Amino acid sequence: MTPKICVIDDDTIYQFTTKKIISNAGIKEDVLLFSDAENALEFFHKESQNKDKLPDIIFLDINMPFMDGWQFLDAYGKISPTFPKPIVIFLVSSSVDEADTDRAAKIPMISGYIFKPFTKEKLLDSLAHLQS
Amino acid sequence: MDNQKESEKNLSVGLPDSEILHLLTTISRELVCLHEPDGTYIYVSPNSEKIIGYKSEELIGKNPYDYFHPDEKRLIQERSHQPLLRGEENIHSTFRFLHKDGRYIWLQSDNSLTIHPTTGKKYLHTSSRDISEKINTEANLALAERRFKTLFHDSPIGLVLTGGHGYIDETNEAFARFLGYQNYEVVGKHFTEISSDDGLEENLKYRDEVQKGIIDNYSIEKQYIHKSGKKVWAYLTVTVLRDDLGHPIHYLAQIIDINERKKNETLLREKNDRLRAATNSYLTQNKQLQAYNQIISHHLRAPVSNLRSLLDLMKESDQLKEVKEIESHLENVTENLETVLSELITTLKIQNSDQFQPEPVNIQLSFDNVLRLLNGEIKSKQAEVQSNFSGANTVYFSKDFLETIFLHLLGNSLRYADPNRKLRISVESFPIGTQTAISFSDNGIGIDLERYGDQIFQLRKTFHRHISGKGLGLFLIKYKMESVGGRIEVRSKPGEGATFLMYFPERSDAE
């Protein structure tokens, strides 16, 4: 089964490289891409009961304009309990600030924290969470 | 009937003299006596037992000299007895007399010499009353006064007695020494002559309240003028003594020398201020470091990790088309990195306290400089810029930083113009209290503050990656404004444009 991957990040170059890393890893499934966390949230609202449309894993950037990763998680956490399937979430950031990692550790929804740059190894490690 | 007649007779005829005398001498508190010229008692009024403890018959034939206090026998002899015999009148004597119970009581006598009309014999007539209570009170008062005087003059605390008018009636050694004077130099001065003008108003205010009877005492710290002319600190407590009507008769001032303490306090305060300034500056530096930490992690680490990812992809890629695509991204990232670096360097320069030298900056000149820089963009957007700095010409700030703020705000306005209407930008300055304010308004798309109000001044990833302007970001502007004692606020509604209000401090010691 090919995992469905969702990437939420406003950095276009990161989007480009991440998509490439995913396809180079042999995942043929289209990546759900969002530059804006609010658009992503709208999508999850709209497709909250649509098992086929919902991703299996989300790579969420913390630092975005308007709605940042934390705010997205707040809103997302209110609707995710009704989803027809579990979704794994990884935070992705260039920040090595302990305040961010500590905060992430306190949120049960989050499976892990990935420091940029995003690599094939980091992708495969996080996808391993889907098997368990 | 008979009884009625009897009483009528008494009323009309009256009591015999002897009976009236008896009444007087039994009821009265006056001891009435008749003496031989040598003093021997011939008659003692029947009330004697109540006054001196002896019955009259116990005293008849005795001489009062046996009952006088030994210390006063001679005094009575010379001052009362002999003058009386010489025919002097109005002899009033006050003396101690041995009461039957063994204690001496104070008697005051009015004495006279009577000469029998027929025999020509001389008698002495005395009428005495017990005034012990009064004497004791007076003696206590005198003693209290003596004690007070001793305490007053020997007290290590400076003491001053002033009258209601404020002139010094009496002072002690300690106070005179405290001011470098001799006692006699201080007495007669008005207290304002030796008081410093600092805080004198407060002193007079309290004094006035005392005069009006609002308060009975007050304590203040005040400065006196030493004979040498220098000011000395004292802790003053003033207590008022009032007469029966409540008018102040005397003010007793206690003055404690606190000059050393005050000097130390001042030193301590200065040290404390320096410490606080240092702490503030460390806090500021710490905040700055945190800000840089954020900038570095978000604005340097992000493009660097992009570079790394792009290079890794390039190494893996075997298609020319893909490599070309990656190259164009590399171009963008490198450019972005250059921008961020140059911004950081500018910021560091401005943040450097040696570089940030606040001075009076002409607002118009700075604004015009920025207009020239952005002239091309303003023209191409056909924006209309109005400015009016007649309300306040200058701010006390850094010229470079003011221009950086204008550059950033103008850049923002141009970027967030509403495509459906002509962009209008209006900038004005005006005084607000001791501060100068500059308002910067546009009619662009505005900001939804309901949703993003708390974020607008935060560091975001929209750190001018796609802007040509060299802005520092609103968060750095806000942070810098606050670190020099100013502030920046925003007012906006979506679709209605935005107004930034900046308050510049009059003078700033922060830095």
Side-chain angles (χ1 to χ4, degrees):
Chain A
M1 173 205 124
T2 318
K4 196 166 178 57
I5 299 171
C6 169
V7 172
I8 306 171
D9 197 306
D10 64 314
D11 182 338
T12 48
I13 290 162
Y14 168 84
Q15 287 182 5
F16 167 82
T17 55
T18 307
K19 265 199 305 193
K20 273 267 179 269
I21 289 164
I22 292 167
S23 65
N24 288 355
I27 296 165
K28 296 286 172 277
E29 182 83 41
D30 275 350
V31 178
L32 269 173
L33 265 183
F34 297 99
S35 301
D36 185 324
E38 285 184 330
N39 294 346
L41 202 61
E42 272 170 40
F43 167 87
F44 283 102
H45 262 291
K46 201 169 130 249
E47 309 294 351
S48 66
Q49 298 311 312
N50 194 338
K51 202 170 172 178
D52 296 339
K53 287 278 176 69
L54 289 175
D56 299 297
I57 187 164
I58 301 171
F59 293 108
L60 172 68
D61 182 27
I62 296 175
N63 204 269
M64 291 179 283
F66 304 134
M67 181 181 257
D68 65 18
W70 307 114
Q71 291 165 313
F72 171 84
L73 284 170
D74 274 348
Y76 173 90
K78 292 191 176 78
I79 54 170
S80 59
T82 69
F83 291 171
K85 65 173 182 183
I87 302 175
V88 170
I89 302 177
F90 277 85
L91 279 179
V92 186
S93 173
S94 55
S95 166
V96 286
D97 193 336
E98 270 182 31
D100 286 340
T101 51
D102 289 353
R103 190 171 169 184
K106 290 196 180 83
I107 303 175
M109 277 190 286
I110 296 170
S111 298
Y113 193 105
I114 295 171
F115 293 111
K116 288 179 181 180
F118 194 72
T119 61
K120 188 179 169 182
E121 289 73 30
K122 289 173 186 172
L123 169 70
L124 295 175
D125 278 351
S126 46
L127 289 179
H129 276 255
L130 296 177
Q131 321 309 331
S132 56
Chain B
M1 278 300 273
D2 282 352
N3 281 348
Q4 202 178 347
K5 270 192 187 143
E6 191 69 28
S7 62
E8 272 174 11
K9 189 179 108 179
N10 271 349
L11 278 175
S12 57
V13 174
L15 289 166
D17 283 352
S18 62
E19 265 189 65
I20 290 175
L21 183 68
H22 179 76
L23 274 174
L24 273 177
T25 51
T26 48
I27 293 166
S28 159
R29 301 191 60 83
E30 289 281 312
L31 175 69
V32 180
C33 306
L34 205 61
H35 309 259
E36 297 279 7
D38 71 349
T40 306
Y41 288 109
I42 303 168
Y43 169 82
V44 175
S45 59
N47 57 358
S48 63
E49 201 176 355
K50 276 193 298 193
I51 299 165
I52 49 177
Y54 309 97
K55 295 190 170 72
S56 7
E57 53 269 29
E58 287 180 84
L59 292 176
I60 305 296
K62 299 265 185 348
N63 192 298
Y65 278 92
D66 298 336
Y67 302 89
F68 293 151
H69 192 282
D71 294 354
E72 286 161 356
K73 284 181 186 171
R74 219 181 97 221
L75 210 63
I76 294 167
Q77 173 84 32
E78 290 173 5
R79 299 267 174 95
S80 313
H81 197 173
Q82 287 171 353
L84 201 60
L85 291 172
R86 285 198 297 270
E88 286 184 32
E89 288 179 0
N90 294 327
I91 303 290
H92 312 288
S93 51
T94 303
F95 54 92
R96 276 172 285 178
F97 189 92
L98 186 61
H99 190 278
K100 195 182 175 176
D101 66 14
R103 65 191 165 97
Y104 281 99
I105 57 167
W106 284 93
L107 291 183
Q108 187 178 48
S109 293
D110 301 328
N111 315 306
S112 58
L113 179 72
T114 52
I115 296 168
H116 200 280
T118 48
T119 62
K121 235 182 131 189
K122 288 182 180 173
Y123 297 101
L124 298 176
H125 199 269
T126 62
S127 174
S128 316
R129 63 218 72 97
D130 181 354
I131 55 157
S132 302
E133 211 170 302
K134 187 165 167 268
I135 287 279
N136 285 338
T137 317
E138 279 174 1
N140 282 339
L141 273 175
L143 189 67
E145 193 163 338
R146 270 207 301 279
R147 276 203 204 110
F148 175 76
K149 282 239 186 286
T150 309
L151 278 174
F152 186 91
H153 286 287
D154 297 346
S155 167
I157 292 171
L159 294 171
V160 175
L161 269 175
T162 58
H165 39 63
Y167 287 96
I168 295 168
D169 292 336
E170 207 167 341
T171 177
N172 71 349
E173 198 65 31
F175 182 69
R177 216 176 29 238
F178 171 54
L179 295 188
Y181 289 105
Q182 297 292 332
N183 279 22
Y184 66 86
E185 292 177 290
V186 180
V187 172
K189 279 191 194 298
H190 195 268
F191 83 90
T192 53
E193 288 177 65
I194 50 167
S195 302
S196 151
D197 290 342
D198 313 282
L200 192 58
E201 219 171 296
E202 186 192 19
N203 199 161
L204 291 166
K205 179 182 76 102
Y206 280 123
R207 217 185 143 84
D208 186 50
E209 286 181 8
V210 170
Q211 298 231 286
K212 289 180 178 147
I214 302 167
I215 52 173
D216 272 338
N217 58 65
Y218 61 91
S219 293
I220 51 171
E221 285 184 357
K222 70 175 278 188
Q223 294 184 85
Y224 285 94
I225 311 276
H226 189 273
K227 192 175 181 176
S228 66
K230 65 173 198 270
K231 292 175 186 175
V232 280
W233 275 102
Y235 183 74
L236 164 76
T237 301
V238 176
T239 317
V240 67
L241 304 164
R242 298 182 190 280
D243 64 15
D244 294 342
L245 295 171
H247 301 308
I249 323 167
H250 268 306
Y251 293 90
L252 173 64
Q254 300 173 61
I255 297 100
I256 298 171
D257 178 354
I258 56 164
N259 207 37
E260 277 305 305
R261 197 196 84 197
K262 271 289 189 187
K263 270 197 287 195
N264 291 339
E265 246 178 42
T266 313
L267 275 176
L268 210 62
R269 197 177 306 118
E270 282 168 5
K271 278 197 181 120
N272 207 359
D273 285 350
R274 276 203 297 275
L275 204 63
R276 196 175 298 122
T279 310
N280 280 344
S281 124
Y282 285 133
L283 284 173
T284 306
Q285 282 175 11
N286 194 18
K287 264 172 133 180
Q288 281 174 344
L289 283 172
Q290 282 177 350
Y292 290 135
N293 194 3
Q294 261 197 305
I295 292 168
I296 286 163
S297 75
H298 294 304
H299 301 288
L300 289 174
R301 287 179 57 88
V304 167
S305 70
N306 278 339
L307 280 180
R308 169 54 54 201
S309 298
L310 288 166
L311 284 170
D312 285 350
L313 286 175
M314 214 169 184
K315 277 185 269 182
E316 274 185 47
S317 183
D318 45 12
Q319 298 168 38
L320 190 63
K321 182 172 152 284
E322 208 172 62
V323 171
K324 283 284 171 212
E325 194 183 4
I326 293 168
E327 268 179 12
S328 80
H329 284 306
L330 277 173
E331 189 70 46
N332 285 339
V333 174
T334 309
E335 237 175 69
N336 167 233
L337 206 46
E338 283 166 349
T339 308
V340 171
L341 272 178
S342 78
E343 281 176 1
L344 269 182
I345 287 159
T346 314
T347 315
L348 282 168
K349 259 199 214 148
I350 283 169
Q351 297 294 87
N352 185 330
S353 55
D354 299 339
Q355 295 278 330
F356 192 94
Q357 290 295 359
E359 55 185 347
V361 183
N362 184 299
I363 306 171
Q364 185 77 58
L365 287 180
S366 291
F367 190 69
D368 290 346
N369 286 343
V370 175
L371 282 184
R372 265 196 302 280
L373 276 177
L374 293 179
N375 195 22
E377 256 186 283
I378 292 166
K379 277 224 163 69
S380 71
K381 289 245 175 184
Q382 296 182 327
E384 184 185 302
V385 183
Q386 293 176 324
S387 66
N388 178 1
F389 302 117
S390 58
N393 302 319
T394 57
V395 285
Y396 188 71
F397 208 60
S398 143
K399 180 173 167 292
D400 280 353
F401 201 83
L402 183 66
E403 291 181 12
T404 309
I405 292 176
F406 279 143
L407 198 60
H408 184 82
L409 293 179
L410 263 175
N412 264 357
S413 292
L414 290 164
R415 197 171 333 124
Y416 301 117
D418 188 326
N420 304 317
R421 59 177 177 239
K422 184 183 172 73
L423 175 63
R424 286 198 172 82
I425 297 166
S426 158
V427 192
E428 275 180 37
S429 64
F430 47 93
I432 284 192
T434 59
Q435 297 192 319
T436 301
I438 297 177
S439 74
F440 192 107
S441 307
D442 66 34
N443 63 341
I445 53 174
I447 310 146
D448 188 347
L449 291 175
E450 299 260 315
R451 291 174 78 175
Y452 310 119
D454 61 330
Q455 295 177 32
I456 183 157
F457 290 109
Q458 285 177 12
L459 194 60
R460 301 264 124 219
K461 275 183 101 167
T462 49
F463 197 72
H464 336 293
R465 266 186 316 207
H466 42 285
I467 315 154
S468 52
K470 295 260 189 291
L472 290 168
L474 283 173
F475 113 97
L476 270 181
I477 291 175
K478 174 180 197 269
Y479 168 66
K480 190 67 205 174
M481 290 290 294
E482 285 172 0
S483 76
V484 298
R487 78 182 193 272
I488 181 166
E489 291 172 358
V490 62
R491 286 162 203 182
S492 179
K493 279 203 176 89
E496 292 181 21
T499 297
F500 285 91
L501 269 174
M502 290 159 283
Y503 301 88
F504 294 85
E506 186 185 22
R507 283 252 153 186
S508 171
D509 298 325
E511 268 314 300

